[in-house]
Amino acid sequence: MSANTIPNGNSSGPATQKPSNKLNANSSSNSSIHDAPNLSDVRAALAALHVREASIINRLDALLSSQADLSRELGRLDLLRANLGSQVIATRSISNGMLSSAADTAGRLSSRVKDLDLEKDRVQQTLKVVEQVAELKACVHGVVGSMGAPQDWEAAAGYISRASKVPEPIIRGAFAASMVPSVEVPDAPWVTLENAKESLCGLFLREFEKAAKEGDGAKVTRFFKLFPLIGRGDVGLDVYGRYVCQGVAGTARATLRAEPGNAGRKDGFFYANALTKLFEHIAQIVENHGGLVERHYGEGKMVKVIERLQMEADVQGGIILDSWSDDRGVDRKLTDAKSYPFSFLVQSFLPPQRTLTGTPRMNSPAVGGSNNARNSEDEGVDMKEVDGLLSEISVMLGRWSLYSRFLAGKCKNPDTPEDAPLSIPEVVTKSNLNRKISAKLTSPYNSLAMFFFRRSVEKAFQLDESPTGLSLSLNKPIDANAPYIISAVDDIMYIVSAIIQKAVSTSQRDVAASVIPDVGRVLGSDFIGMIQRRMRDESYPQPTVQGGLPPENKIIAFIVLINSLDVAKDYLARIIASQLGTSSDQPNGASHPNPLATSFPFEHDVTFVTSALNTLNTTFSLKTGELISDALKVLFTFVVKQRLKPVLVEAFRDVDYWRSEDELAEIARQNDEDEDVVIDRVQRRFEHGWDQLMKPIARLMTPKTFAALIDLTATDLSKTLEKRVWSYSGKASAYGIIRMERDFSGIISTVSRGNYSVREMFARVTQILMVADMEDEEWEEISSGDGEDGIQWVLNEDERRRARHLVKATI
């Protein structure tokens, strides 16, 4: 809408815009009349004014005609207003005369109801106070009466228990003080009750101690149940704790005195059994009496008894451990173990010393090694005593773990979910016995286990024997059973299994955290180091003459050491799998629940121990794998490669791939030979030489190590064959390429016999000969890109074009 249609409106246009015609019609007409230049314009302006006048008159007539209707409507409105005014006056009079009185009545009724409710509450409270005072009076008189001639202690305790339910302000209030006392009981009720509690508490203590001395269990239980009724639950738990602790102490002392003299203590598990009986006795008390305590003293009150029992266990367990440590001479054995020199191992890693008499014996690093080996066995610590000591400590630690788990379950918060992992309670962690077990058992066990394992490794190598009757000649049968390994592997892995099993049986995280890594360190440094030293210094298959072959005994000894590493790796993997409940035969090694969860129930212990075992297996596998890989490279370089060269020379002797099919047939006729025999000559020669070379090695090596050796050999052989193929570039005939592909395929089949994946290492040779033997149409398709979809090329484009020129050009 423009400003011209709005009265006094301003347009959005320029300021010079003309004002609205509606506002300035008269002035415009007057100005037009006055400004009319001629008569016709004057007449036109006058006509316009007449039209406007007629319009205004019509509008005024319309307004005058509607004035009567408007006046009539206004009169009706005045009448309605008068009627409404009278109605308002009537309504106000009704409200003031009727509803106000009803409102007042309702207010008075509401106030009265509130007053009645208040009075009712006060009456009920008064009745409750009266009832409580009556109950208090009955209890006070009942207590006094029961403690009189009847001496009914249960009834007296029951009255006190009932009185304890009366609120303390009521008991000490003025109303009770005036109503409860009587001629028989003149004192205030709280005084009477307090005196009765003290009197009954002293009486119950005397009767409890008397029954305890007499060994009357029924009477002990009778008075034990009365303490919480008189509000002396702490006293009852304390005296009960002393009572059961006396029994624990007596049983423990009796166990140590069970055998006359020192005869029983010489038994390897005497002290372990004594500690076991101590823990079993405490556990039996907690299990059998826990329900009684919880029922009469309240939930969670057994924890206080457990704390008192643990204090006694600290004393008695400490006595057992101190006696054990003194009788077994643990400190002396620890000193001897820590000072043991490990002379054989140390000397074994020193550079070999040659004397005028020759190289020292294989199982001893020094001249006269047999005597030195025997002397080193006898010096220092008795291994049988150490083994027995480790077994006894492991039993004691295992019993301590079971005991700790039992107490953790009993001290567990009732709100804790059932599947939540256990946490060691403070009653165990802060106990003196826990600290003593750590000092007297855990630390010595870790040190002695480390010594025992390393000494066992040393002794195994001192007494080590290699398999006899091995030979690289297929004509000589082998009497020994595969795998052919040194005896030290079986001995050491048996000790590894025993050490790990014993450490796990203790169910102690601190033991597993120390022993398992120590086993890994000894295996890595001493076991692998000793075999590596023997490989380097005693069995290295190096030719004695330049260009010759290594001695057979060196090769055999070297292979035996490789086998030993491979078998040791498998042994350890099986040991770890048995501990973890996994199986290497199943996918991902998972089959059974982890058995360690039973031995290590506390929080994240099982995860920690599982990680430690897996780390041991992984680390050992990596170290042995690296050494096996290096050893196989040595075996290939000095044994297989040196013997494979003449096999290839013999296989390709007198081979001429430049001849045509007719020329080859003519030569066969001249030599009176079958053409097929001539064609298969390369394959038969190579297969014969290959079997003579590899079969003697294969029957000595383990399947894994031999497969790895085949991979090394195939990798090198593929490069050799590829060089030979390229050497025929531009020299071979078309028929020669066909023969070459057949010969080389036969060689590849021989090498990959029993392991098809080896063929992948000859992919370059195979593709070179395939391209060389292609028809022209097929080659054109591949060159244009139409036939590449089904072939995974290992040759680049230049090599493929080069392969097409293997066939000599025909003139």
Side-chain angles (χ1 to χ4, degrees):
M1 184 181 291
S2 66
N4 295 334
T5 62
I6 303 174
N8 298 325
N10 296 326
S11 99
S12 58
T16 59
Q17 186 174 354
K18 293 182 180 180
S20 174
N21 292 333
K22 292 183 179 180
L23 298 176
N24 300 299
N26 294 331
S27 62
S28 176
S29 300
N30 295 332
S31 62
S32 61
I33 289 176
H34 292 293
D35 296 336
N38 50 44
L39 183 60
S40 60
D41 291 339
V42 172
R43 289 176 178 175
L46 183 62
L49 289 174
H50 285 305
V51 172
R52 181 168 180 79
E53 179 184 10
S55 175
I56 292 173
I57 290 172
N58 291 333
R59 291 173 62 189
L60 290 174
D61 290 341
L63 289 174
L64 289 174
S65 63
S66 63
Q67 183 176 7
D69 296 335
L70 183 61
S71 298
R72 186 168 56 253
E73 294 297 331
L74 289 174
R76 291 178 61 189
L77 288 175
D78 289 338
L79 181 60
L80 290 174
R81 184 180 63 181
N83 291 334
L84 287 175
S86 62
Q87 293 293 333
V88 169
I89 293 171
T91 302
R92 286 176 180 173
S93 63
I94 292 172
S95 174
N96 294 331
M98 296 175 63
L99 297 181
S100 60
S101 60
D104 293 340
T105 303
R108 289 194 303 271
L109 287 174
S110 176
S111 177
R112 184 59 179 165
V113 169
K114 291 181 180 178
D115 293 340
L116 289 175
D117 289 340
L118 181 60
E119 290 178 4
K120 183 180 178 181
D121 290 341
R122 288 173 178 173
V123 169
Q124 289 178 348
Q125 291 177 3
T126 302
L127 287 175
K128 187 175 181 180
V129 170
V130 171
E131 290 174 356
Q132 290 174 339
V133 171
E135 173 71 7
L136 178 63
K137 186 173 183 178
C139 292
V140 169
H141 286 271
V143 169
V144 175
S146 299
M147 293 177 63
Q151 293 188 349
D152 189 349
W153 312 127
E154 283 80 1
Y159 282 124
I160 292 178
S161 178
R162 285 169 54 187
S164 65
K165 298 177 182 178
V166 178
E168 189 67 20
I170 301 297
I171 296 176
R172 295 182 176 273
F175 182 67
S178 62
M179 297 302 295
V180 174
S182 63
V183 177
E184 294 83 2
V185 187
D187 294 329
W190 65 86
V191 176
T192 303
L193 290 175
E194 194 62 34
N195 291 337
K197 289 179 182 179
E198 292 297 329
S199 177
L200 288 175
C201 183
L203 175 67
F204 294 165
L205 281 174
R206 291 192 299 271
E207 293 296 329
F208 185 94
E209 292 173 354
K210 180 181 177 182
K213 290 180 181 179
E214 295 174 354
D216 190 346
K219 207 170 183 181
V220 167
T221 304
R222 173 194 173 191
F223 287 100
F224 173 65
K225 295 189 293 185
L226 297 179
F227 283 102
L229 297 178
I230 63 173
R232 297 294 188 268
D234 292 340
V235 176
L237 291 175
D238 183 65
V239 69
Y240 175 74
R242 290 203 304 269
Y243 164 68
V244 293
C245 287
Q246 288 174 3
V248 170
T251 303
R253 288 193 293 267
T255 301
L256 291 178
R257 294 196 306 265
E259 298 291 340
N262 292 326
R265 302 192 178 194
K266 295 299 182 182
D267 177 22
F269 293 94
F270 173 77
Y271 290 100
N273 292 334
L275 196 63
T276 301
K277 290 179 181 179
L278 173 65
F279 293 152
E280 287 178 349
H281 189 190
I282 295 175
Q284 188 176 10
I285 291 172
V286 174
E287 186 68 27
N288 295 340
H289 297 192
L292 177 67
V293 174
E294 299 283 342
R295 184 166 57 254
H296 292 284
Y297 284 78
E299 189 176 7
K301 294 299 182 182
M302 192 60 194
V303 175
K304 292 189 176 181
V305 179
I306 292 175
E307 292 174 353
R308 186 61 185 266
L309 285 169
Q310 184 57 44
M311 293 173 64
E312 188 63 31
D314 293 345
V315 176
Q316 301 304 326
I319 293 173
I320 294 173
L321 292 180
D322 290 337
S323 302
W324 167 81
S325 180
D326 294 338
D327 286 354
R328 299 292 189 256
V330 177
D331 293 338
R332 178 180 56 81
K333 287 184 175 62
L334 281 173
T335 302
D336 293 341
K338 291 178 180 179
S339 61
Y340 188 79
F342 295 102
S343 303
F344 181 84
L345 289 177
V346 172
Q347 294 176 12
S348 296
F349 288 99
L350 295 177
Q353 299 178 0
R354 294 183 177 272
T355 63
L356 295 176
T357 58
T359 306
R361 202 166 60 85
M362 186 173 178
N363 67 341
S364 175
V367 179
S370 60
N371 294 331
N372 291 340
R374 178 53 58 186
N375 291 336
S376 64
E377 288 181 36
D378 299 333
E379 68 183 27
V381 186
D382 187 344
M383 293 292 287
K384 290 183 178 180
E385 291 184 2
V386 174
D387 187 28
L389 203 61
L390 289 174
S391 299
E392 192 172 12
I393 295 176
S394 67
V395 171
M396 289 192 280
L397 288 175
R399 299 297 183 268
W400 169 249
S401 177
L402 289 175
Y403 173 75
S404 301
R405 186 188 313 178
F406 173 78
L407 292 188
K410 292 299 179 182
C411 297
K412 188 176 181 181
N413 191 329
D415 298 331
T416 305
E418 287 293 331
D419 56 348
L422 291 176
S423 58
I424 304 178
E426 290 187 357
V427 68
V428 174
T429 57
K430 294 183 178 180
S431 65
N432 292 329
L433 183 57
N434 183 51
R435 289 189 287 270
K436 181 155 285 190
I437 280 179
S438 178
K440 294 284 187 179
L441 296 182
T442 304
S443 296
Y445 184 89
N446 294 339
S447 300
L448 290 176
M450 174 68 172
F451 162 77
F452 179 80
F453 181 57
R454 194 176 186 206
R455 178 69 184 94
S456 298
V457 171
E458 182 182 55
K459 190 173 183 180
F461 278 112
Q462 283 178 293
L463 304 178
D464 180 39
E465 295 180 356
S466 295
T468 57
L470 303 183
S471 173
L472 291 176
S473 174
L474 295 175
N475 298 325
K476 295 181 180 180
I478 298 176
D479 297 331
N481 296 323
Y484 307 112
I485 59 175
I486 59 177
S487 62
V489 173
D490 289 327
D491 298 338
I492 291 171
M493 287 302 150
Y494 174 79
I495 298 298
V496 168
S497 179
I499 286 285
I500 293 178
Q501 177 61 41
K502 201 170 289 185
V504 170
S505 69
T506 64
S507 299
Q508 296 292 316
R509 173 173 175 165
D510 293 340
V511 171
S514 175
V515 172
I516 295 175
D518 285 346
V519 169
R521 282 191 290 271
V522 173
L523 287 176
S525 61
D526 295 334
F527 175 73
I528 296 179
M530 182 69 78
I531 292 181
Q532 185 179 18
R533 198 271 307 168
R534 287 188 176 182
M535 284 181 168
R536 183 187 66 240
D537 299 337
E538 299 176 3
S539 307
Y540 197 78
Q542 192 170 5
T544 55
V545 180
Q546 183 70 26
L549 296 174
E552 182 179 352
N553 64 331
K554 295 281 188 180
I555 298 174
I556 293 174
F558 198 75
I559 291 175
V560 168
L561 293 176
I562 294 175
N563 292 345
S564 300
L565 289 172
D566 183 54
V567 171
K569 181 172 67 172
D570 289 342
Y571 278 174
L572 184 64
R574 277 189 241 163
I575 292 170
I576 301 301
S578 66
Q579 293 296 330
L580 299 178
T582 58
S583 174
S584 58
D585 298 333
Q586 297 191 358
N588 300 326
S591 58
H592 306 290
N594 192 345
L596 293 178
T598 306
S599 300
F600 297 91
F602 293 114
E603 296 178 317
H604 305 295
D605 287 0
V606 65
T607 304
F608 175 83
V609 176
T610 301
S611 176
L613 290 172
N614 286 327
T615 301
L616 168 63
N617 186 28
T618 303
T619 304
F620 184 75
S621 179
L622 288 175
K623 289 183 178 180
T624 53
E626 290 176 359
L627 185 54
I628 289 173
S629 178
D630 293 341
L632 288 175
K633 290 178 182 178
V634 171
L635 184 65
F636 168 75
T637 302
F638 291 105
V639 178
V640 177
K641 190 173 183 178
Q642 295 299 323
R643 297 187 180 186
L644 188 59
K645 289 179 180 178
V647 171
L648 290 173
V649 171
E650 175 62 21
F652 289 99
R653 178 172 53 84
D654 299 332
V655 174
D656 42 8
Y657 292 118
W658 53 271
R659 296 184 182 277
S660 64
E661 184 177 5
D662 295 335
E663 292 174 339
L664 188 66
E666 180 64 26
I667 292 175
R669 282 195 299 271
Q670 291 178 359
N671 295 331
D672 196 18
E673 292 179 329
D674 188 2
E675 185 176 354
D676 292 336
V677 173
V678 175
I679 294 175
D680 295 337
R681 185 177 297 163
V682 172
Q683 181 179 352
R684 284 186 289 102
R685 287 174 180 174
F686 180 82
E687 184 176 4
H688 176 73
W690 177 264
D691 290 343
Q692 291 295 319
L693 169 62
M694 302 306 292
K695 280 188 175 181
I697 298 175
R699 72 172 186 167
L700 295 182
M701 300 184 74
T702 62
K704 288 183 181 179
T705 55
F706 182 71
L709 181 63
I710 289 294
D711 289 344
L712 287 174
T713 305
T715 301
D716 184 80
L717 181 59
S718 66
K719 296 177 182 178
T720 303
L721 293 179
E722 184 179 351
K723 291 180 181 178
R724 180 173 289 273
V725 170
W726 292 126
S727 67
Y728 292 111
S729 181
K731 302 176 183 177
S733 64
Y735 182 67
I737 293 297
I738 297 175
R739 287 174 55 211
M740 191 185 304
E741 185 176 12
R742 181 174 179 177
D743 292 342
F744 281 41
S745 297
I747 292 174
I748 294 171
S749 298
T750 301
V751 175
S752 61
R753 189 168 50 204
N755 187 1
Y756 191 82
S757 62
V758 175
R759 287 180 173 272
E760 297 178 0
M761 302 176 185
F762 296 92
R764 289 181 58 83
V765 176
T766 304
Q767 289 189 3
I768 291 172
L769 294 175
M770 179 186 69
V771 172
D773 194 34
M774 279 183 180
E775 298 292 338
D776 293 338
E777 295 81 1
E778 186 178 1
W779 169 248
E780 289 176 1
E781 291 180 3
I782 292 177
S783 299
S784 62
D786 297 336
E788 287 192 43
D789 294 341
I791 302 177
Q792 297 293 331
W793 289 104
V794 295
L795 301 176
N796 58 38
E797 190 175 352
D798 292 338
E799 290 171 335
R800 277 179 268 168
R801 282 197 296 266
R802 182 183 175 191
R804 287 296 295 173
H805 294 87
L806 284 178
V807 181
K808 64 182 178 180
T810 56
I811 302 176

